[in-house]
Short mmCIF file of all heavy atoms in Angstrom, two decimals:
data_model
loop_
_atom_site.label_atom_id
_atom_site.label_comp_id
_atom_site.label_asym_id
_atom_site.label_seq_id
_atom_site.Cartn_x
_atom_site.Cartn_y
_atom_site.Cartn_z
N GLN T 94 106.46 77.24 113.66
CA GLN T 94 105.22 77.40 114.42
C GLN T 94 104.66 78.83 114.39
O GLN T 94 103.70 79.15 115.06
CB GLN T 94 105.41 76.97 115.86
CG GLN T 94 105.84 75.54 116.06
CD GLN T 94 104.76 74.55 115.63
OE1 GLN T 94 103.57 74.77 115.92
NE2 GLN T 94 105.12 73.48 114.94
N VAL T 95 105.28 79.69 113.59
CA VAL T 95 104.90 81.11 113.57
C VAL T 95 103.47 81.25 112.95
O VAL T 95 103.19 80.72 111.88
CB VAL T 95 105.90 81.94 112.77
CG1 VAL T 95 105.38 83.32 112.43
CG2 VAL T 95 107.22 82.06 113.57
N LYS T 96 102.63 81.95 113.67
CA LYS T 96 101.26 82.24 113.21
C LYS T 96 101.12 83.68 112.69
O LYS T 96 100.20 83.95 111.92
CB LYS T 96 100.28 82.00 114.37
CG LYS T 96 100.30 80.64 114.99
CD LYS T 96 99.89 79.59 113.97
CE LYS T 96 99.82 78.18 114.64
NZ LYS T 96 99.49 77.14 113.68
N HIS T 97 101.99 84.58 113.19
CA HIS T 97 101.87 85.97 112.78
C HIS T 97 103.21 86.52 112.35
O HIS T 97 104.23 86.36 113.12
CB HIS T 97 101.37 86.84 113.98
CG HIS T 97 100.20 86.28 114.70
ND1 HIS T 97 98.94 86.43 114.28
CD2 HIS T 97 100.14 85.58 115.83
CE1 HIS T 97 98.09 85.83 115.11
NE2 HIS T 97 98.82 85.29 116.07
N LEU T 98 103.31 87.15 111.21
CA LEU T 98 104.48 87.86 110.75
C LEU T 98 104.14 89.34 110.68
O LEU T 98 103.14 89.71 110.02
CB LEU T 98 104.95 87.38 109.43
CG LEU T 98 106.02 88.22 108.74
CD1 LEU T 98 107.34 88.25 109.55
CD2 LEU T 98 106.29 87.74 107.29
N VAL T 99 104.89 90.19 111.37
CA VAL T 99 104.66 91.63 111.30
C VAL T 99 105.89 92.29 110.70
O VAL T 99 107.04 92.11 111.11
CB VAL T 99 104.44 92.24 112.72
CG1 VAL T 99 104.20 93.75 112.61
CG2 VAL T 99 103.27 91.53 113.40
N LEU T 100 105.70 93.06 109.62
CA LEU T 100 106.78 93.87 108.98
C LEU T 100 106.53 95.29 109.41
O LEU T 100 105.59 95.96 108.87
CB LEU T 100 106.71 93.71 107.48
CG LEU T 100 106.81 92.27 106.96
CD1 LEU T 100 106.60 92.23 105.43
CD2 LEU T 100 108.12 91.66 107.32
N ASP T 101 107.30 95.77 110.36
CA ASP T 101 107.13 97.13 110.89
C ASP T 101 108.11 98.08 110.25
O ASP T 101 109.28 97.71 110.05
CB ASP T 101 107.31 97.15 112.43
CG ASP T 101 106.70 98.39 113.07
OD1 ASP T 101 106.27 99.29 112.35
OD2 ASP T 101 106.67 98.45 114.29
N GLU T 102 107.63 99.27 109.90
CA GLU T 102 108.48 100.23 109.14
C GLU T 102 109.02 99.56 107.88
O GLU T 102 110.23 99.63 107.58
CB GLU T 102 109.61 100.77 109.99
CG GLU T 102 109.17 101.51 111.26
CD GLU T 102 108.67 102.88 111.04
OE1 GLU T 102 108.40 103.26 109.82
OE2 GLU T 102 108.48 103.67 111.99
N ALA T 103 108.15 98.97 107.11
CA ALA T 103 108.56 98.19 105.95
C ALA T 103 109.30 99.06 104.93
O ALA T 103 110.28 98.64 104.32
CB ALA T 103 107.38 97.52 105.30
N ASP T 104 108.87 100.28 104.78
CA ASP T 104 109.51 101.15 103.76
C ASP T 104 110.96 101.46 104.17
O ASP T 104 111.89 101.49 103.35
CB ASP T 104 108.74 102.48 103.54
CG ASP T 104 108.38 103.16 104.88
OD1 ASP T 104 108.57 102.56 105.95
OD2 ASP T 104 107.92 104.32 104.80
N ARG T 105 111.16 101.66 105.47
CA ARG T 105 112.53 101.91 105.93
C ARG T 105 113.45 100.67 105.81
O ARG T 105 114.62 100.79 105.48
CB ARG T 105 112.54 102.33 107.41
CG ARG T 105 113.88 102.73 107.98
CD ARG T 105 114.52 103.85 107.25
NE ARG T 105 113.87 105.14 107.43
CZ ARG T 105 114.25 106.23 106.84
NH1 ARG T 105 115.24 106.26 105.98
NH2 ARG T 105 113.62 107.40 107.10
N MET T 106 112.88 99.49 106.01
CA MET T 106 113.65 98.26 105.83
C MET T 106 114.10 98.11 104.38
O MET T 106 115.26 97.76 104.08
CB MET T 106 112.85 97.02 106.26
CG MET T 106 112.80 96.87 107.77
SD MET T 106 112.28 95.21 108.31
CE MET T 106 110.49 95.32 108.04
N LEU T 107 113.23 98.43 103.42
CA LEU T 107 113.63 98.38 102.03
C LEU T 107 114.64 99.46 101.69
O LEU T 107 115.54 99.21 100.93
CB LEU T 107 112.37 98.52 101.12
CG LEU T 107 111.34 97.39 101.25
CD1 LEU T 107 110.38 97.46 100.04
CD2 LEU T 107 111.96 96.01 101.31
N ASP T 108 114.48 100.63 102.27
CA ASP T 108 115.46 101.74 102.07
C ASP T 108 116.85 101.33 102.51
O ASP T 108 117.86 101.74 101.97
CB ASP T 108 115.01 103.00 102.79
CG ASP T 108 113.86 103.71 102.14
OD1 ASP T 108 113.56 103.39 100.97
OD2 ASP T 108 113.21 104.53 102.80
N MET T 109 116.90 100.47 103.55
CA MET T 109 118.14 100.02 104.12
C MET T 109 118.70 98.75 103.45
O MET T 109 119.69 98.22 103.86
CB MET T 109 117.98 99.78 105.66
CG MET T 109 117.69 101.06 106.43
SD MET T 109 117.23 100.77 108.16
CE MET T 109 118.79 100.17 108.84
N GLY T 110 118.03 98.31 102.40
CA GLY T 110 118.54 97.23 101.61
C GLY T 110 118.21 95.80 102.13
O GLY T 110 118.90 94.84 101.82
N PHE T 111 117.13 95.66 102.91
CA PHE T 111 116.78 94.42 103.51
C PHE T 111 115.78 93.58 102.73
O PHE T 111 115.31 92.55 103.27
CB PHE T 111 116.18 94.65 104.96
CG PHE T 111 117.18 95.06 105.99
CD1 PHE T 111 116.93 96.13 106.85
CD2 PHE T 111 118.37 94.34 106.13
CE1 PHE T 111 117.86 96.49 107.81
CE2 PHE T 111 119.30 94.69 107.11
CZ PHE T 111 119.06 95.76 107.92
N GLN T 112 115.46 93.96 101.52
CA GLN T 112 114.42 93.23 100.79
C GLN T 112 114.74 91.77 100.64
O GLN T 112 113.92 90.85 100.88
CB GLN T 112 114.15 93.86 99.43
CG GLN T 112 113.03 93.15 98.68
CD GLN T 112 112.48 94.00 97.53
OE1 GLN T 112 112.87 95.11 97.32
NE2 GLN T 112 111.52 93.42 96.78
N GLU T 113 115.96 91.44 100.17
CA GLU T 113 116.33 90.03 99.97
C GLU T 113 116.36 89.28 101.30
O GLU T 113 115.95 88.11 101.34
CB GLU T 113 117.73 89.96 99.31
CG GLU T 113 117.72 90.39 97.87
CD GLU T 113 119.05 90.15 97.17
OE1 GLU T 113 119.93 89.51 97.77
OE2 GLU T 113 119.24 90.60 96.03
N ASP T 114 116.83 89.95 102.35
CA ASP T 114 116.81 89.29 103.68
C ASP T 114 115.36 88.97 104.14
O ASP T 114 115.11 87.88 104.68
CB ASP T 114 117.47 90.20 104.72
CG ASP T 114 118.97 90.27 104.56
OD1 ASP T 114 119.52 89.46 103.80
OD2 ASP T 114 119.57 91.18 105.14
N ILE T 115 114.45 89.91 103.90
CA ILE T 115 113.05 89.68 104.28
C ILE T 115 112.49 88.47 103.52
O ILE T 115 111.83 87.61 104.12
CB ILE T 115 112.21 90.94 104.04
CG1 ILE T 115 112.66 92.05 104.98
CG2 ILE T 115 110.72 90.64 104.24
CD1 ILE T 115 112.05 93.43 104.64
N LEU T 116 112.73 88.43 102.23
CA LEU T 116 112.22 87.34 101.42
C LEU T 116 112.83 85.99 101.86
O LEU T 116 112.17 84.95 101.88
CB LEU T 116 112.47 87.58 99.95
CG LEU T 116 111.73 88.77 99.31
CD1 LEU T 116 112.16 89.01 97.89
CD2 LEU T 116 110.23 88.56 99.40
N ARG T 117 114.12 86.02 102.24
CA ARG T 117 114.75 84.83 102.73
C ARG T 117 114.14 84.36 104.02
O ARG T 117 113.88 83.15 104.25
CB ARG T 117 116.25 85.06 102.87
CG ARG T 117 117.04 83.81 103.30
CD ARG T 117 118.50 84.08 103.40
NE ARG T 117 119.23 82.96 103.99
CZ ARG T 117 120.51 82.99 104.31
NH1 ARG T 117 121.22 84.11 104.13
NH2 ARG T 117 121.09 81.92 104.84
N ILE T 118 113.88 85.29 104.89
CA ILE T 118 113.23 84.96 106.19
C ILE T 118 111.85 84.37 105.97
O ILE T 118 111.46 83.38 106.62
CB ILE T 118 113.18 86.19 107.11
CG1 ILE T 118 114.56 86.61 107.56
CG2 ILE T 118 112.26 85.96 108.33
CD1 ILE T 118 114.68 88.00 108.18
N ILE T 119 111.09 84.93 105.05
CA ILE T 119 109.73 84.47 104.74
C ILE T 119 109.77 83.02 104.30
O ILE T 119 108.85 82.25 104.55
CB ILE T 119 109.03 85.40 103.75
CG1 ILE T 119 108.72 86.73 104.41
CG2 ILE T 119 107.81 84.72 103.14
CD1 ILE T 119 108.18 87.78 103.44
N SER T 120 110.85 82.62 103.63
CA SER T 120 110.95 81.25 103.11
C SER T 120 111.03 80.26 104.26
O SER T 120 110.78 79.04 104.04
CB SER T 120 112.15 81.10 102.22
OG SER T 120 113.38 81.17 102.94
N TYR T 121 111.38 80.68 105.48
CA TYR T 121 111.45 79.78 106.62
C TYR T 121 110.08 79.64 107.35
O TYR T 121 109.95 78.84 108.27
CB TYR T 121 112.48 80.32 107.66
CG TYR T 121 113.92 80.11 107.28
CD1 TYR T 121 114.62 81.03 106.49
CD2 TYR T 121 114.63 79.01 107.73
CE1 TYR T 121 115.94 80.88 106.20
CE2 TYR T 121 115.98 78.79 107.42
CZ TYR T 121 116.63 79.76 106.62
OH TYR T 121 117.94 79.58 106.28
N LEU T 122 109.15 80.48 106.97
CA LEU T 122 107.87 80.53 107.68
C LEU T 122 106.83 79.63 107.06
O LEU T 122 106.86 79.35 105.84
CB LEU T 122 107.37 81.96 107.70
CG LEU T 122 108.28 83.04 108.27
CD1 LEU T 122 107.61 84.45 108.15
CD2 LEU T 122 108.64 82.72 109.71
N PRO T 123 105.81 79.23 107.84
CA PRO T 123 104.73 78.46 107.27
C PRO T 123 103.95 79.33 106.27
O PRO T 123 103.84 80.53 106.42
CB PRO T 123 103.85 78.15 108.49
CG PRO T 123 104.71 78.34 109.68
CD PRO T 123 105.67 79.39 109.31
N LYS T 124 103.42 78.69 105.21
CA LYS T 124 102.64 79.46 104.24
C LYS T 124 101.30 79.88 104.85
O LYS T 124 100.77 80.90 104.49
CB LYS T 124 102.43 78.59 103.00
CG LYS T 124 103.70 78.39 102.16
CD LYS T 124 103.41 77.66 100.88
CE LYS T 124 104.69 77.51 100.07
NZ LYS T 124 104.43 76.77 98.79
N GLU T 125 100.81 79.07 105.75
CA GLU T 125 99.55 79.39 106.44
C GLU T 125 99.88 80.26 107.65
O GLU T 125 100.28 79.72 108.73
CB GLU T 125 98.81 78.14 106.85
CG GLU T 125 98.32 77.29 105.69
CD GLU T 125 97.24 78.02 104.87
OE1 GLU T 125 96.42 78.79 105.49
OE2 GLU T 125 97.22 77.85 103.66
N ARG T 126 99.78 81.54 107.50
CA ARG T 126 100.06 82.49 108.60
C ARG T 126 99.33 83.79 108.34
O ARG T 126 98.77 83.98 107.27
CB ARG T 126 101.59 82.77 108.69
CG ARG T 126 102.08 83.48 107.42
CD ARG T 126 103.53 83.92 107.46
NE ARG T 126 103.85 84.73 106.33
CZ ARG T 126 104.21 84.33 105.13
NH1 ARG T 126 104.37 83.03 104.91
NH2 ARG T 126 104.43 85.20 104.14
N GLN T 127 99.29 84.65 109.33
CA GLN T 127 98.75 86.00 109.16
C GLN T 127 99.93 86.97 109.04
O GLN T 127 100.81 86.95 109.88
CB GLN T 127 97.86 86.41 110.34
CG GLN T 127 97.21 87.73 110.22
CD GLN T 127 96.35 88.07 111.40
OE1 GLN T 127 96.67 87.72 112.52
NE2 GLN T 127 95.24 88.74 111.18
N THR T 128 99.92 87.77 107.97
CA THR T 128 101.01 88.74 107.76
C THR T 128 100.48 90.17 107.81
O THR T 128 99.46 90.48 107.19
CB THR T 128 101.69 88.50 106.39
OG1 THR T 128 102.12 87.13 106.31
CG2 THR T 128 102.85 89.45 106.19
N LEU T 129 101.14 91.01 108.58
CA LEU T 129 100.73 92.39 108.81
C LEU T 129 101.87 93.29 108.39
O LEU T 129 103.00 93.16 108.89
CB LEU T 129 100.41 92.60 110.28
CG LEU T 129 99.50 91.55 110.93
CD1 LEU T 129 99.41 91.78 112.45
CD2 LEU T 129 98.12 91.58 110.29
N LEU T 130 101.63 94.19 107.49
CA LEU T 130 102.66 95.08 106.96
C LEU T 130 102.26 96.53 107.35
O LEU T 130 101.21 97.00 106.98
CB LEU T 130 102.78 94.93 105.46
CG LEU T 130 103.90 95.69 104.76
CD1 LEU T 130 104.33 94.97 103.47
CD2 LEU T 130 103.50 97.14 104.39
#
């Protein structure tokens, strides 16, 4: 039911090795959503 996804401090998350985790989480979300990076 998520309508909004916010990726805060996205550069730091990638620096910490979370890219695969983020992509995995996105796979659980509806395709129709608003994403803010």
Side-chain angles (χ1 to χ4, degrees):
Q94 298 294 319
V95 167
K96 303 295 184 184
H97 313 278
L98 169 64
V99 181
L100 304 174
D101 198 352
E102 300 283 13
D104 51 349
R105 183 59 72 183
M106 283 197 283
L107 296 195
D108 287 344
M109 295 171 69
F111 285 133
Q112 182 163 357
E113 289 187 9
D114 289 345
I115 293 170
L116 295 175
R117 183 177 173 187
I118 291 166
I119 289 174
S120 71
Y121 285 86
L122 303 178
K124 291 185 178 180
E125 294 295 326
R126 64 174 189 274
Q127 183 180 34
T128 304
L129 313 172
L130 186 152

